[in-house]
Amino acid sequence: MTTVDKPERATQNRVIKLFSEQLGYTYLGNLQSKPDNRNIEPPQLSKYLSANGYSQAHINKALDKLQTTANNHAQNLYNNNKAVYQLLRYGVAVKIAAGEPTDTVHIINWQHPEANDFYIAEEVTIYDGEKTKRPDIVLYINGIAIAVLELKNSRVSLGEGIRQSLNNQKSSVIGAFFSTIQFIFAGNDSEGLKYGTIGTPEKFFLNWKEDEQDNTDYKLDKYLRKICNKSRLIELIHDFILFDGNKKKLPRVHQYFGIKAAQKYIQRKQGGIIWHTQGSGKSIVMVLLAKWILENNPRARVVVITDRDELDKQIKQVFEEAGEKIHRSHSGRDLMKQLGQQTPRLLCSLVHKFGNKEVDNFEAFIEQLKSQPSPAVGELFVFVDECHRTQSGKLHRTMKALLPNAVFIGFTGTPLLKQDKATSLEVFGNYIHTYKFKEAVEDKVVLDLVYEARDIDQRLNSPQEIDAWFTAKTSGLNEYQQAALKKKWGTMQKVLSSESRLGKIVADIVSDFSSKARLSSESGNAILVASSIFDACHYYNLFQDTALTGKCALVTSYNPQNTDISDEETGANTETKKQFIYNTYTNLLKAIQAKSGKSKAETYENEVKQQFIHEPAKMKLLIVVDKLLTGFDAPSCSYLYIDKSMQDHGLFQAICRVNRLDTEDKLIGCIVDYKNLLENLTGAIQVYTKELDYDDFEAKDCDILLKNRLKEGRERLDNALEAIELICEPVPQPKNDLDYIHYFCGNTDIATDLKQREVLRMTLYQTTVSFIRAYANIADDMEGAGYRADEIKYITNRLNHYHKLREIIRKASGEVLDLKAYEADMQNLIDLYIQAEDSVVISPFANLPILEIIQKIGIEKAINTLPDGIKDNQDAAAETIENNVRSKIIKDQLLDPAYFEKMSLLLAEIILQRKQKAIDYQRYLQEMANLANQVSSGTMNNMPPLLNTQAKRALYNNLGQNEALALQIDTAILESKSDGWRGNQAKENGIKRAIYKILNDLKEVERIFAIIEQQRDY
């Protein structure tokens, strides 16, 4: 075996050695056979606490509280994990006896990392409920499991390791084990290392990046050393974990180093600017930095300043969702009053509340303030959000004059313009840390942006041009979708016939919602930026005559008042602009009930914004003018349509609405420009027209470039097709359906083949989805992307081929996988782009596993529900059923080992008879149907009647079919078990003692207990 062929085991051995020899962790061994592995290991934790002077009584109380908190079945994993984190970070409050003081037992020594006991274990078998799983590596601090690492072979994507951990976190698997886990790692020798935490979706797993010039070792080893260094790991857990609105968050690498850099400035009482590009998590940096300042400096106070009311509200919400109390000042007087007393320590305010900038002699006003500064209490640290907008204003000079001793930290998501540099340095100081747009795209922290200018006036001037435009728009769709859209076309004619430019844009956008894969999916939505409130209202009314009626909303700063139109009546039978706006909003808000403290307009805005974010299928389009384009809780979207003159900072912040990572099917952010705002420069588009501040950087690092949609789309499609062709290249000729089934599912004679090829099948499924998504992005203009007619035909044929292949393999393997994580949009893509057969009978069993269909309608009818490539080939049909039975046996093996071992032997016998042609096909089908029914039901027909539960039958099968003994143990379990016994060692031991009284054999008790844990009846 060459080093290229080395197995996963070799990587795991090397990683274990790295932790033991280089990082100083104690190796606990291979725990595969240890029956009671837990996320809280009492021996190790007791040893640590005892060495730190705690009495046995304190240790017992702390252990009990920690275990109870970690295994609270009334709460979900997020809340249990959060509660455990609080105990780890702040200690466990215990009271030994009534009347005695409450003591705090500190589980981890945060101040002295080396004083803790760090452990590593491998193959940690976890028994939980009906599942048994075995994480490759678990890291412990003082006996508390704080990290899980799944390793993969170099030829297997580390995404498999991520999905493995995501599956393990389900409550139906071993979710309870993750209640103490802070880090989840996945890695291999080819791709390196990714990290996340509980609940982190696969798409949001992160890469670490540090000392990039060092290329002497595997990236996996390099970054495990960086992150899991004792001091670094303790610091990350203590200072950089955030529970934010039901999501647990870890820092991205730029956030970590940005905060570390800021800490040094703050310790020197020195201000500066943090430039982290839009969408990269600036608000998290603010929260974590503020928490660190307040914890480490008892005299510190933090004031967060913005220049817009909605941003001020957002900042208060962000801090509160992260568990930090913050006072929002509602007036300048209140702000000065709060600053003049010791509390609150955390405040937010608008910059305008610092005083009046409109004075006759501003310089004299500033000098007066400097001579009479505000009597602020404590050491003030002022965070100024969006400092690129506010740092050059007079209000900032006022603020600095009022608070001369404060340290000012500016935050911006956009590059500074050269014309603003001098003032920026004067107010804030130098850059503390930068994380530019180009870096964020390379790190996949934000998405690439693609740009398309549409000259709607020239394209839609005549009926012929309109028809040609419609044909081009729908060219990538299948025939059914084209026909369906043509039926809707009549309603669009009404909008277009107005000869209004806005009407043409509405028609263009509506057709995108029908023909663009992302927009027509349940997760896709868009924002339209209008040039004025009048235009926005006009757009809104036009959309009411389209398919988007009821799914489109208007969000502007306008709030209708009767006084708005008191002087507008002219007597003519026409509406003035003000009347038109007023009437549009009055009709819009007619059914809205204003919430307490809010106007109807504010209530409406909050409702539609929440729908847009959380229910995009019900709210597809927001029409705005200025609102919702800036700020860290401004909603993200898939498409941004611009019909307003914008430039520089405003334009960049607006287009960054579409570069946020959302769902797995969102690959790029799309900007459609109806104003031709940007100049196309050699295939990339430069966002900024004014010169940026390049003095400290290279121009290529600061420039914000957008990519051409078709050029980028072609490259993505070519790569996707090449990837899937390479995966299928090893399939032997003639590459018929059975050849593909053998390659992706293996030999049904070999029980392990199906499982061993699971990764190969997953790769096929994923690359198929990637291929269809890439096609969908440019299906409407393949010719514009440079494809010839014969190339387009070839690609569409391959698209249909691989979609059918994917379904054949899923059916043939009996794959029951949760694919939602990475192909939530798949059905929509298939509906849009995959050409259906001429006659399609939709089976009511289409989404059921084949074994369930056999139970419902019999085996021969079940075979007819399979894809053509399987049902028309007896061998393919047979192997499909065999693989499905095998898959079910493997899945349920632990539930009843003896029974499913018998089923496995029966399956092997039937397969052998078929392959040796010892039985004819009809007899084979009959025997397979009987076996399939027994495997699905989990029982045979001749069971004694008293064995009326799955648990009793499992005990009977695994106790030598001794009915009396099985019933005796069942009774003992029911009498000895208590609520929440799984995962609670004391309660589990109570059940084991009851079983031991009957069996009198410790090994036999452990064997049977492992089966008991799998039973729902207990």
Side-chain angles (χ1 to χ4, degrees), residues 936-952:
S936 293
S937 64
T939 182
M940 290 182 284
N941 298 327
N942 58 351
M943 276 284 170
L946 290 178
L947 303 178
N948 52 9
T949 67
Q950 174 62 48
K952 290 177 184 177

mmCIF file with all atom_site columns, all heavy atoms in Angstrom, residues 936-952:
data_model
loop_
_atom_site.group_PDB
_atom_site.id
_atom_site.type_symbol
_atom_site.label_atom_id
_atom_site.label_alt_id
_atom_site.label_comp_id
_atom_site.label_asym_id
_atom_site.label_entity_id
_atom_site.label_seq_id
_atom_site.pdbx_PDB_ins_code
_atom_site.Cartn_x
_atom_site.Cartn_y
_atom_site.Cartn_z
_atom_site.occupancy
_atom_site.B_iso_or_equiv
_atom_site.pdbx_formal_charge
_atom_site.auth_seq_id
_atom_site.auth_comp_id
_atom_site.auth_asym_id
_atom_site.auth_atom_id
_atom_site.pdbx_PDB_model_num
ATOM 1   N N   . SER A 1 936 ? -39.779 -5.902  7.646  1.00 0.00 ? 936 SER A N   1
ATOM 2   C CA  . SER A 1 936 ? -40.467 -4.629  7.902  1.00 0.00 ? 936 SER A CA  1
ATOM 3   C C   . SER A 1 936 ? -41.232 -4.643  9.212  1.00 0.00 ? 936 SER A C   1
ATOM 4   O O   . SER A 1 936 ? -41.231 -3.663  9.960  1.00 0.00 ? 936 SER A O   1
ATOM 5   C CB  . SER A 1 936 ? -41.440 -4.326  6.757  1.00 0.00 ? 936 SER A CB  1
ATOM 6   O OG  . SER A 1 936 ? -40.743 -4.079  5.565  1.00 0.00 ? 936 SER A OG  1
ATOM 7   N N   . SER A 1 937 ? -41.876 -5.773  9.510  1.00 0.00 ? 937 SER A N   1
ATOM 8   C CA  . SER A 1 937 ? -42.687 -5.853  10.729 1.00 0.00 ? 937 SER A CA  1
ATOM 9   C C   . SER A 1 937 ? -41.849 -6.151  11.967 1.00 0.00 ? 937 SER A C   1
ATOM 10  O O   . SER A 1 937 ? -42.254 -5.866  13.092 1.00 0.00 ? 937 SER A O   1
ATOM 11  C CB  . SER A 1 937 ? -43.756 -6.937  10.578 1.00 0.00 ? 937 SER A CB  1
ATOM 12  O OG  . SER A 1 937 ? -43.143 -8.222  10.441 1.00 0.00 ? 937 SER A OG  1
ATOM 13  N N   . GLY A 1 938 ? -40.654 -6.731  11.770 1.00 0.00 ? 938 GLY A N   1
ATOM 14  C CA  . GLY A 1 938 ? -39.792 -7.049  12.900 1.00 0.00 ? 938 GLY A CA  1
ATOM 15  C C   . GLY A 1 938 ? -40.252 -8.258  13.688 1.00 0.00 ? 938 GLY A C   1
ATOM 16  O O   . GLY A 1 938 ? -39.836 -8.451  14.835 1.00 0.00 ? 938 GLY A O   1
ATOM 17  N N   . THR A 1 939 ? -41.115 -9.068  13.087 1.00 0.00 ? 939 THR A N   1
ATOM 18  C CA  . THR A 1 939 ? -41.594 -10.248 13.807 1.00 0.00 ? 939 THR A CA  1
ATOM 19  C C   . THR A 1 939 ? -41.984 -11.352 12.825 1.00 0.00 ? 939 THR A C   1
ATOM 20  O O   . THR A 1 939 ? -42.333 -11.083 11.680 1.00 0.00 ? 939 THR A O   1
ATOM 21  C CB  . THR A 1 939 ? -42.807 -9.904  14.691 1.00 0.00 ? 939 THR A CB  1
ATOM 22  O OG1 . THR A 1 939 ? -43.209 -11.072 15.403 1.00 0.00 ? 939 THR A OG1 1
ATOM 23  C CG2 . THR A 1 939 ? -43.980 -9.393  13.870 1.00 0.00 ? 939 THR A CG2 1
ATOM 24  N N   . MET A 1 940 ? -41.939 -12.602 13.318 1.00 0.00 ? 940 MET A N   1
ATOM 25  C CA  . MET A 1 940 ? -42.387 -13.737 12.514 1.00 0.00 ? 940 MET A CA  1
ATOM 26  C C   . MET A 1 940 ? -43.811 -14.120 12.945 1.00 0.00 ? 940 MET A C   1
ATOM 27  O O   . MET A 1 940 ? -44.286 -13.738 14.017 1.00 0.00 ? 940 MET A O   1
ATOM 28  C CB  . MET A 1 940 ? -41.412 -14.907 12.691 1.00 0.00 ? 940 MET A CB  1
ATOM 29  C CG  . MET A 1 940 ? -40.064 -14.641 12.024 1.00 0.00 ? 940 MET A CG  1
ATOM 30  S SD  . MET A 1 940 ? -38.894 -16.011 12.139 1.00 0.00 ? 940 MET A SD  1
ATOM 31  C CE  . MET A 1 940 ? -38.365 -15.850 13.836 1.00 0.00 ? 940 MET A CE  1
ATOM 32  N N   . ASN A 1 941 ? -44.459 -14.916 12.127 1.00 0.00 ? 941 ASN A N   1
ATOM 33  C CA  . ASN A 1 941 ? -45.876 -15.217 12.343 1.00 0.00 ? 941 ASN A CA  1
ATOM 34  C C   . ASN A 1 941 ? -46.136 -16.139 13.527 1.00 0.00 ? 941 ASN A C   1
ATOM 35  O O   . ASN A 1 941 ? -47.231 -16.162 14.071 1.00 0.00 ? 941 ASN A O   1
ATOM 36  C CB  . ASN A 1 941 ? -46.479 -15.840 11.075 1.00 0.00 ? 941 ASN A CB  1
ATOM 37  C CG  . ASN A 1 941 ? -46.418 -14.872 9.894  1.00 0.00 ? 941 ASN A CG  1
ATOM 38  O OD1 . ASN A 1 941 ? -46.529 -13.662 10.088 1.00 0.00 ? 941 ASN A OD1 1
ATOM 39  N ND2 . ASN A 1 941 ? -46.235 -15.400 8.696  1.00 0.00 ? 941 ASN A ND2 1
ATOM 40  N N   . ASN A 1 942 ? -45.142 -16.931 13.940 1.00 0.00 ? 942 ASN A N   1
ATOM 41  C CA  . ASN A 1 942 ? -45.378 -17.954 14.961 1.00 0.00 ? 942 ASN A CA  1
ATOM 42  C C   . ASN A 1 942 ? -44.978 -17.513 16.364 1.00 0.00 ? 942 ASN A C   1
ATOM 43  O O   . ASN A 1 942 ? -44.610 -18.323 17.211 1.00 0.00 ? 942 ASN A O   1
ATOM 44  C CB  . ASN A 1 942 ? -44.633 -19.236 14.591 1.00 0.00 ? 942 ASN A CB  1
ATOM 45  C CG  . ASN A 1 942 ? -43.131 -19.000 14.427 1.00 0.00 ? 942 ASN A CG  1
ATOM 46  O OD1 . ASN A 1 942 ? -42.689 -17.850 14.421 1.00 0.00 ? 942 ASN A OD1 1
ATOM 47  N ND2 . ASN A 1 942 ? -42.359 -20.070 14.294 1.00 0.00 ? 942 ASN A ND2 1
ATOM 48  N N   . MET A 1 943 ? -45.017 -16.207 16.644 1.00 0.00 ? 943 MET A N   1
ATOM 49  C CA  . MET A 1 943 ? -44.646 -15.706 17.971 1.00 0.00 ? 943 MET A CA  1
ATOM 50  C C   . MET A 1 943 ? -45.710 -16.074 19.011 1.00 0.00 ? 943 MET A C   1
ATOM 51  O O   . MET A 1 943 ? -46.911 -16.002 18.735 1.00 0.00 ? 943 MET A O   1
ATOM 52  C CB  . MET A 1 943 ? -44.502 -14.174 17.931 1.00 0.00 ? 943 MET A CB  1
ATOM 53  C CG  . MET A 1 943 ? -43.154 -13.700 17.458 1.00 0.00 ? 943 MET A CG  1
ATOM 54  S SD  . MET A 1 943 ? -41.917 -13.894 18.745 1.00 0.00 ? 943 MET A SD  1
ATOM 55  C CE  . MET A 1 943 ? -40.438 -13.544 17.812 1.00 0.00 ? 943 MET A CE  1
ATOM 56  N N   . PRO A 1 944 ? -45.310 -16.454 20.236 1.00 0.00 ? 944 PRO A N   1
ATOM 57  C CA  . PRO A 1 944 ? -46.278 -16.694 21.307 1.00 0.00 ? 944 PRO A CA  1
ATOM 58  C C   . PRO A 1 944 ? -47.124 -15.439 21.548 1.00 0.00 ? 944 PRO A C   1
ATOM 59  O O   . PRO A 1 944 ? -46.615 -14.321 21.510 1.00 0.00 ? 944 PRO A O   1
ATOM 60  C CB  . PRO A 1 944 ? -45.385 -17.009 22.517 1.00 0.00 ? 944 PRO A CB  1
ATOM 61  C CG  . PRO A 1 944 ? -44.103 -17.502 21.924 1.00 0.00 ? 944 PRO A CG  1
ATOM 62  C CD  . PRO A 1 944 ? -43.932 -16.743 20.660 1.00 0.00 ? 944 PRO A CD  1
ATOM 63  N N   . PRO A 1 945 ? -48.424 -15.600 21.821 1.00 0.00 ? 945 PRO A N   1
ATOM 64  C CA  . PRO A 1 945 ? -49.328 -14.447 21.926 1.00 0.00 ? 945 PRO A CA  1
ATOM 65  C C   . PRO A 1 945 ? -48.991 -13.472 23.053 1.00 0.00 ? 945 PRO A C   1
ATOM 66  O O   . PRO A 1 945 ? -49.298 -12.285 22.957 1.00 0.00 ? 945 PRO A O   1
ATOM 67  C CB  . PRO A 1 945 ? -50.701 -15.101 22.152 1.00 0.00 ? 945 PRO A CB  1
ATOM 68  C CG  . PRO A 1 945 ? -50.419 -16.504 22.594 1.00 0.00 ? 945 PRO A CG  1
ATOM 69  C CD  . PRO A 1 945 ? -49.128 -16.894 21.947 1.00 0.00 ? 945 PRO A CD  1
ATOM 70  N N   . LEU A 1 946 ? -48.354 -13.931 24.134 1.00 0.00 ? 946 LEU A N   1
ATOM 71  C CA  . LEU A 1 946 ? -48.030 -13.024 25.242 1.00 0.00 ? 946 LEU A CA  1
ATOM 72  C C   . LEU A 1 946 ? -46.906 -12.045 24.885 1.00 0.00 ? 946 LEU A C   1
ATOM 73  O O   . LEU A 1 946 ? -46.712 -11.040 25.576 1.00 0.00 ? 946 LEU A O   1
ATOM 74  C CB  . LEU A 1 946 ? -47.637 -13.829 26.491 1.00 0.00 ? 946 LEU A CB  1
ATOM 75  C CG  . LEU A 1 946 ? -48.772 -14.596 27.173 1.00 0.00 ? 946 LEU A CG  1
ATOM 76  C CD1 . LEU A 1 946 ? -48.234 -15.381 28.367 1.00 0.00 ? 946 LEU A CD1 1
ATOM 77  C CD2 . LEU A 1 946 ? -49.879 -13.635 27.633 1.00 0.00 ? 946 LEU A CD2 1
ATOM 78  N N   . LEU A 1 947 ? -46.177 -12.367 23.813 1.00 0.00 ? 947 LEU A N   1
ATOM 79  C CA  . LEU A 1 947 ? -45.089 -11.461 23.392 1.00 0.00 ? 947 LEU A CA  1
ATOM 80  C C   . LEU A 1 947 ? -45.688 -10.411 22.466 1.00 0.00 ? 947 LEU A C   1
ATOM 81  O O   . LEU A 1 947 ? -45.474 -10.393 21.262 1.00 0.00 ? 947 LEU A O   1
ATOM 82  C CB  . LEU A 1 947 ? -43.989 -12.267 22.699 1.00 0.00 ? 947 LEU A CB  1
ATOM 83  C CG  . LEU A 1 947 ? -43.378 -13.405 23.535 1.00 0.00 ? 947 LEU A CG  1
ATOM 84  C CD1 . LEU A 1 947 ? -42.345 -14.165 22.726 1.00 0.00 ? 947 LEU A CD1 1
ATOM 85  C CD2 . LEU A 1 947 ? -42.757 -12.855 24.814 1.00 0.00 ? 947 LEU A CD2 1
ATOM 86  N N   . ASN A 1 948 ? -46.439 -9.492  23.071 1.00 0.00 ? 948 ASN A N   1
ATOM 87  C CA  . ASN A 1 948 ? -47.259 -8.559  22.292 1.00 0.00 ? 948 ASN A CA  1
ATOM 88  C C   . ASN A 1 948 ? -46.641 -7.176  22.117 1.00 0.00 ? 948 ASN A C   1
ATOM 89  O O   . ASN A 1 948 ? -47.309 -6.237  21.729 1.00 0.00 ? 948 ASN A O   1
ATOM 90  C CB  . ASN A 1 948 ? -48.644 -8.423  22.932 1.00 0.00 ? 948 ASN A CB  1
ATOM 91  C CG  . ASN A 1 948 ? -48.548 -8.080  24.422 1.00 0.00 ? 948 ASN A CG  1
ATOM 92  O OD1 . ASN A 1 948 ? -47.466 -7.792  24.928 1.00 0.00 ? 948 ASN A OD1 1
ATOM 93  N ND2 . ASN A 1 948 ? -49.666 -8.140  25.100 1.00 0.00 ? 948 ASN A ND2 1
ATOM 94  N N   . THR A 1 949 ? -45.343 -7.027  22.439 1.00 0.00 ? 949 THR A N   1
ATOM 95  C CA  . THR A 1 949 ? -44.639 -5.768  22.159 1.00 0.00 ? 949 THR A CA  1
ATOM 96  C C   . THR A 1 949 ? -43.310 -6.074  21.476 1.00 0.00 ? 949 THR A C   1
ATOM 97  O O   . THR A 1 949 ? -42.788 -7.197  21.604 1.00 0.00 ? 949 THR A O   1
ATOM 98  C CB  . THR A 1 949 ? -44.346 -4.964  23.452 1.00 0.00 ? 949 THR A CB  1
ATOM 99  O OG1 . THR A 1 949 ? -43.385 -5.684  24.240 1.00 0.00 ? 949 THR A OG1 1
ATOM 100 C CG2 . THR A 1 949 ? -45.612 -4.721  24.257 1.00 0.00 ? 949 THR A CG2 1
ATOM 101 N N   . GLN A 1 950 ? -42.778 -5.090  20.789 1.00 0.00 ? 950 GLN A N   1
ATOM 102 C CA  . GLN A 1 950 ? -41.480 -5.261  20.129 1.00 0.00 ? 950 GLN A CA  1
ATOM 103 C C   . GLN A 1 950 ? -40.398 -5.582  21.160 1.00 0.00 ? 950 GLN A C   1
ATOM 104 O O   . GLN A 1 950 ? -39.513 -6.406  20.925 1.00 0.00 ? 950 GLN A O   1
ATOM 105 C CB  . GLN A 1 950 ? -41.111 -3.978  19.360 1.00 0.00 ? 950 GLN A CB  1
ATOM 106 C CG  . GLN A 1 950 ? -39.725 -3.975  18.739 1.00 0.00 ? 950 GLN A CG  1
ATOM 107 C CD  . GLN A 1 950 ? -39.538 -5.059  17.697 1.00 0.00 ? 950 GLN A CD  1
ATOM 108 O OE1 . GLN A 1 950 ? -40.374 -5.227  16.823 1.00 0.00 ? 950 GLN A OE1 1
ATOM 109 N NE2 . GLN A 1 950 ? -38.439 -5.807  17.784 1.00 0.00 ? 950 GLN A NE2 1
ATOM 110 N N   . ALA A 1 951 ? -40.468 -4.933  22.328 1.00 0.00 ? 951 ALA A N   1
ATOM 111 C CA  . ALA A 1 951 ? -39.451 -5.151  23.360 1.00 0.00 ? 951 ALA A CA  1
ATOM 112 C C   . ALA A 1 951 ? -39.476 -6.594  23.871 1.00 0.00 ? 951 ALA A C   1
ATOM 113 O O   . ALA A 1 951 ? -38.429 -7.235  24.037 1.00 0.00 ? 951 ALA A O   1
ATOM 114 C CB  . ALA A 1 951 ? -39.668 -4.183  24.516 1.00 0.00 ? 951 ALA A CB  1
ATOM 115 N N   . LYS A 1 952 ? -40.678 -7.127  24.118 1.00 0.00 ? 952 LYS A N   1
ATOM 116 C CA  . LYS A 1 952 ? -40.778 -8.512  24.594 1.00 0.00 ? 952 LYS A CA  1
ATOM 117 C C   . LYS A 1 952 ? -40.250 -9.481  23.546 1.00 0.00 ? 952 LYS A C   1
ATOM 118 O O   . LYS A 1 952 ? -39.562 -10.458 23.873 1.00 0.00 ? 952 LYS A O   1
ATOM 119 C CB  . LYS A 1 952 ? -42.234 -8.843  24.928 1.00 0.00 ? 952 LYS A CB  1
ATOM 120 C CG  . LYS A 1 952 ? -42.783 -8.146  26.169 1.00 0.00 ? 952 LYS A CG  1
ATOM 121 C CD  . LYS A 1 952 ? -44.259 -8.485  26.358 1.00 0.00 ? 952 LYS A CD  1
ATOM 122 C CE  . LYS A 1 952 ? -44.862 -7.715  27.534 1.00 0.00 ? 952 LYS A CE  1
ATOM 123 N NZ  . LYS A 1 952 ? -46.310 -7.993  27.659 1.00 0.00 ? 952 LYS A NZ  1
#
